[in-house]
Amino acid sequence: MGLNIVQKIIKTHLVEGDMTPGKPIAIRIDQTLTQDATGTMAYLHFEAMGLPKVQTELSVSYVDHNTLQAGGPENANDHLFLQTAAAKFGVFFSKAGNGICHQVHLERFAVPGKTLLGSDSHTPTAGGIGSLAIGAGGMDVALAMAGEPFYLTMPKVVRVNLYGKLRPFVSAKDIILELLRRLSVKGGVGKIFEYGGEGVKYLSVPERATITNMGAELGATTSIFPSDEQTYLFMKAQGRESQWRPLQADPDATYDEVIDIDLSELEPLIACPHMPDNVKKVKEVEGLRVHQVAIGSCTNSSYRDLKTVGEMFKRTGKMVHPLVSAAISPGSKQVLRMMDKEGYYDVFLRAGFRILENACGPCIGMGFAPPSGGVSVRTFNRNFYGRSGTKDAEVYLASPETAAATAMKGVITDPRDLGIEEIKVFLPEKFEIDDSMIYAPAADPDEVEIYKGPTINYVGYKEPLGDKVEGEVLLKVGDNITTDHIIPGGAKILPLRSNIPAISEYVYSVVDETFAQRAKEKGGGFIVGGENYGQGSSREHAAIGPMYLGVKAVIAKSFARIHHANLINFGILPLVFVNPEDYDKIDQGDLLEIDLSNFAPGEDNIITVINRTKGISIPTKHGLNERQVKIIKAGGVLKYVKDKFEGKLQ
Ligand code: MIC
Ligand code: SF4
């Protein structure tokens, strides 16, 4: 029987298990990437594992999130740590100013058919080039760097058939917004989206990457495109044609599900506050007064995207509307230099854009916060509540075309209404190739001393849970809680990513400012959640922070994949209600007792939670496999692997 693309890659990387959806597998990882906000922890974990050098084919450490360096030395200390750790451990280092990890990785390193594990949830961006690219917590990436396989549940493979051709001013962002509209932020859980069909051949690699990037918002494990002529052209323009290889599904390949999208029927779409799946037609919200427009982020900051915006301003001769503050942040130094060379910076400046750094910037709340109650239209991938830095801002997500038209008019605008002719952007034959800000690892690692500034404060594990755990329900939350709720980003909190005691003070601060204080006073306890608990970013601080504050278990209706893995890595037990209605039988402040004496692997291992306050018992399950149970029993994965590396475990 023929294989699909996902099966082809997994088959050649499979270390444990078989490719039955829903069953645990382990795969070999060829490449890893980290970014600074999660990377500091990843290299601190790696250092704690005691290995001299990474075992992967290629590992790259990027600095792109914490580049504002506002208010103190934290960011710069982290950058120095990352640079020296990379040099010592055999990792390439992409300096601040070189661009957003996903954009740079796509341009310079990603290879069709390779596996990539990245400590960032948008790592699937590299699926645009045909790499099987998965986001994970820093600890899992550290383990991959140590040569350990990556453990995951074999996902279902969904074939997304694209047919027909996009109409003018409808672009890749609208394709992924259409999928979000149809499937919701939970619709991709446990699935990989493999794109195919006639429509694929009209999409360039950066356009494909917009789609695979935002597949993360579907909750998908990853998304992937075939490697074809378009892939070859992109890699050739990057001077990397020797790394190209074709990758297609076999003609008789089978899929667990099939979704059809007629591209010619799509129209400009927009995700309304406060979830990426709250998608409407631009037409339905047009006319809404907008205070700011931001163009950039790893979703839409490529040569193609910025040039499209530049052309729209050039052809109309319009300025940014006087009541709008508009900003451009290119995805990489390469994009920036190309735009400069082709004269688009002049267009942007003339039109009244604010020119931001080629980094994550406003996407993670690092600057450019909207005004109180303001409306912001962004080409980004997430509009979670509060993420922009302004709690009551209303953030909309749209294509570069819609964002540009909106910036001109000052109100949400369908780009087709500008009355200009279709803009076709073709990739250049050769991109500006300049790797001068990517440093190779040290030739003599023994000579390198890792710099650790005083703001770096590491805590990697806790005491094991033991046979009985008890405590109070510290917080009860609803459905679709994001990791931005658990540990917010932004200029105040993001710089604390390498300082666990300091960042822990902000756990759940957007939901309840007293959380950290209460958790400490009570000596820890439990969190109760609804569906899809921990969706969004890969930040493992959303697990390490609670661990540090003594959270022992999270009881929820269901969990998002990366956060679930992160909880286990840091020894926090993720329990799922057997009967979802039991969620209503626990209140914040209730005293719980959990007996773990029969805690064992398997779907049928029932753990009884006794609610002492209400005098009732509630059955929960966890479905953890043998390895995961051992990790929880050890008090976290770091202790588990150290024991393993030291030969204490088999
Ligand atoms: C994000 O988009 O939320 C981030 C910031 O890139 C995160 C990683 C982080 O929190 O550092 C992600 O998506 O994984
Ligand atoms: Fe950076 Fe935003 Fe992309 Fe996350 S989603 S990697 S913060 S640009």
Side-chain angles (χ1 to χ4, degrees):
M1 203 176 62
L3 298 178
N4 56 46
I5 297 173
V6 173
Q7 290 165 334
K8 284 187 185 185
I9 304 182
I10 293 186
K11 194 174 167 202
T12 52
H13 290 81
L14 199 63
V15 181
E16 271 175 45
D18 65 71
M19 297 194 288
T20 313
K23 293 273 174 259
I25 56 166
I27 55 171
R28 185 169 42 79
I29 296 298
D30 302 322
Q31 301 189 341
T32 63
L33 73 76
T34 56
Q35 41 88 341
D36 51 318
T38 54
T40 46
M41 276 298 130
Y43 299 102
L44 288 163
H45 300 323
F46 185 80
E47 188 184 34
M49 286 171 200
L51 298 185
K53 193 178 176 305
V54 296
Q55 308 291 306
T56 42
E57 285 175 16
L58 173 87
S59 289
V60 192
S61 170
Y62 294 92
V63 178
D64 53 4
H65 281 64
N66 260 316
T67 57
L68 210 50
Q69 290 161 245
E74 289 87 355
N75 297 169
N77 285 347
D78 284 354
H79 299 178
L80 276 177
F81 164 72
L82 290 166
Q83 185 162 357
T84 49
K88 193 166 189 82
F89 295 139
V91 174
F92 284 80
F93 181 69
S94 169
K95 207 180 188 179
N98 197 45
I100 306 176
C101 55
H102 308 303
Q103 175 68 24
V104 179
H105 208 79
L106 191 73
E107 291 168 357
R108 308 303 306 142
F109 295 112
V111 174
K114 296 273 180 199
T115 53
L116 165 70
L117 194 71
S119 62
D120 191 280
S121 63
H122 292 102
T123 304
T125 311
I129 214 170
S131 163
L132 191 81
I134 302 178
M139 183 65 90
D140 282 332
V141 175
L143 287 166
M145 292 194 286
E148 289 287 295
F150 176 59
Y151 292 84
L152 73 161
T153 304
M154 177 67 198
K156 288 185 177 166
V157 184
V158 181
R159 158 88 169 200
V160 186
N161 251 331
L162 303 180
Y163 60 95
K165 241 179 137 178
L166 288 171
R167 290 182 293 175
F169 297 100
V170 184
S171 62
K173 182 65 154 277
D174 300 307
I175 302 178
I176 189 65
L177 287 175
E178 168 66 9
L179 271 172
L180 277 153
R181 187 187 70 77
R182 290 196 202 175
L183 305 178
S184 91
V185 289
K186 291 186 303 209
V189 174
K191 297 175 185 173
I192 297 183
F193 290 78
E194 180 178 313
Y195 289 81
E198 275 294 289
V200 159
K201 65 171 187 264
Y202 303 115
L203 296 171
S204 65
V205 166
E207 291 171 297
R208 295 173 182 187
T210 292
I211 297 171
T212 56
N213 171 284
M214 221 177 155
E217 277 51 65
L218 291 166
T221 304
T222 189
S223 305
I224 194 166
F225 273 81
S227 171
D228 57 7
E229 178 70 16
Q230 286 277 8
T231 323
Y232 177 78
L233 289 177
F234 177 79
M235 293 186 83
K236 184 157 177 273
Q238 294 288 352
R240 301 205 287 129
E241 63 270 37
S242 63
Q243 293 178 320
W244 179 78
R245 72 194 65 169
L247 187 60
Q248 296 282 353
D250 290 331
D252 56 342
T254 56
Y255 294 87
D256 299 297
E257 279 169 42
V258 178
I259 295 176
D260 289 314
I261 301 185
D262 181 352
L263 300 180
S264 63
E265 277 189 355
L266 292 185
E267 60 176 285
L269 298 173
I270 191 161
C272 302
H274 294 284
M275 274 294 153
D277 61 1
N278 190 10
V279 175
K280 298 208 166 90
K281 290 180 179 164
V282 171
K283 284 267 171 247
E284 290 173 67
V285 286
E286 69 184 355
L288 181 73
R289 154 102 166 87
V290 167
H291 301 84
Q292 64 164 219
V293 169
I295 291 165
S297 94
C298 56
T299 319
N300 278 120
S301 60
S302 66
Y303 170 85
R304 182 259 162 219
D305 291 334
L306 264 59
K307 188 164 171 171
T308 304
V309 173
E311 275 300 310
M312 288 174 71
F313 275 88
K314 202 164 143 185
R315 291 190 197 180
T316 55
K318 288 248 180 325
M319 298 274 298
V320 168
H321 190 278
L323 294 176
V324 172
S325 185
I328 288 252
S329 33
S332 66
K333 181 178 171 184
Q334 181 181 82
V335 174
L336 200 160
R337 288 193 58 193
M338 294 292 298
M339 288 299 113
D340 179 43
K341 192 175 132 198
E342 296 187 13
Y344 289 103
Y345 262 86
D346 193 49
V347 176
F348 298 142
L349 285 167
R350 186 202 51 77
F353 271 96
R354 294 171 60 183
I355 306 296
L356 302 186
E357 199 179 358
N358 49 347
C360 299
C363 177
I364 188 59
M366 291 304 257
F368 206 62
S372 299
V375 173
S376 181
V377 173
R378 303 175 160 213
T379 63
F380 306 171
N381 49 36
R382 290 185 172 147
N383 57 348
F384 300 151
Y385 178 74
R387 181 174 164 104
S388 64
T390 302
K391 268 195 181 175
D392 59 358
E394 304 270 303
V395 177
Y396 291 75
L397 308 171
S399 68
E401 290 85 342
T402 301
T406 300
M408 289 175 198
K409 296 281 187 190
V411 293
I412 292 182
T413 302
D414 186 322
R416 296 172 300 180
D417 294 345
L418 291 179
I420 44 173
E421 264 185 33
E422 176 171 20
I423 293 170
K424 283 199 175 127
V425 173
F426 298 101
L427 296 189
E429 257 176 46
K430 200 99 253 110
F431 286 100
E432 283 294 314
I433 297 166
D434 171 1
D435 292 336
S436 59
M437 288 173 88
I438 301 175
Y439 304 142
D444 188 353
D446 293 342
E447 293 295 299
V448 181
E449 208 179 302
I450 297 183
Y451 172 86
K452 260 187 221 161
T455 50
I456 297 181
N457 202 338
Y458 180 63
V459 183
Y461 51 84
K462 52 172 236 170
E463 282 311 306
L465 289 180
D467 277 349
K468 190 167 131 191
V469 287
E470 45 193 0
E472 207 174 272
V473 176
L474 297 166
L475 190 70
K476 183 175 176 184
V477 288
D479 291 346
N480 292 325
I481 284 294
T482 73
T483 49
D484 277 84
H485 290 107
I486 309 174
I487 279 282
K492 188 167 149 209
I493 304 172
L494 211 55
L496 305 175
R497 286 289 182 92
S498 55
N499 190 342
I500 298 306
I503 203 166
S504 299
E505 294 293 326
Y506 294 96
V507 172
Y508 270 121
S509 57
V510 287
V511 176
D512 175 353
E513 272 172 5
T514 66
F515 181 84
Q517 196 49 39
R518 288 192 293 110
K520 282 192 286 190
E521 276 164 20
K522 308 271 174 187
F526 305 102
I527 294 171
V528 172
E531 297 279 8
N532 201 20
Y533 181 86
Q535 65 157 330
S537 122
S538 68
R539 62 191 71 156
E540 60 189 352
H541 300 78
I544 307 180
M547 169 195 84
Y548 183 78
L549 296 174
V551 172
K552 300 175 179 95
V554 178
I555 312 162
K557 290 186 192 168
S558 68
F559 289 89
R561 176 185 65 88
I562 305 181
H563 187 60
H564 186 256
N566 287 340
L567 288 173
I568 298 167
N569 279 349
F570 293 96
I572 298 178
L573 187 59
L575 293 174
V576 177
F577 291 105
V578 171
N579 310 307
E581 332 59 274
D582 286 346
Y583 168 85
D584 298 325
K585 297 188 186 151
I586 307 183
D587 289 311
Q588 193 162 312
D590 284 359
L591 266 181
L592 306 185
E593 185 185 310
I594 305 179
D595 178 8
L596 289 177
S597 53
N598 68 346
F599 176 44
E603 274 302 326
D604 46 9
N605 184 239
I606 300 293
I607 301 288
T608 305
V609 173
I610 301 168
N611 186 336
R612 278 209 237 132
T613 308
K614 301 214 160 48
I616 48 172
S617 293
I618 294 167
T620 66
K621 57 187 179 170
H622 53 78
L624 302 191
N625 61 31
E626 206 179 318
R627 176 176 174 271
Q628 293 169 322
V629 167
K630 281 186 186 162
I631 292 172
I632 295 278
K633 285 190 171 164
V637 75
L638 197 58
K639 274 201 177 161
Y640 168 77
V641 291
K642 280 192 90 165
D643 288 351
K644 190 173 149 190
F645 291 163
E646 286 161 15
K648 290 188 206 149
L649 278 174
Q650 55 316 60

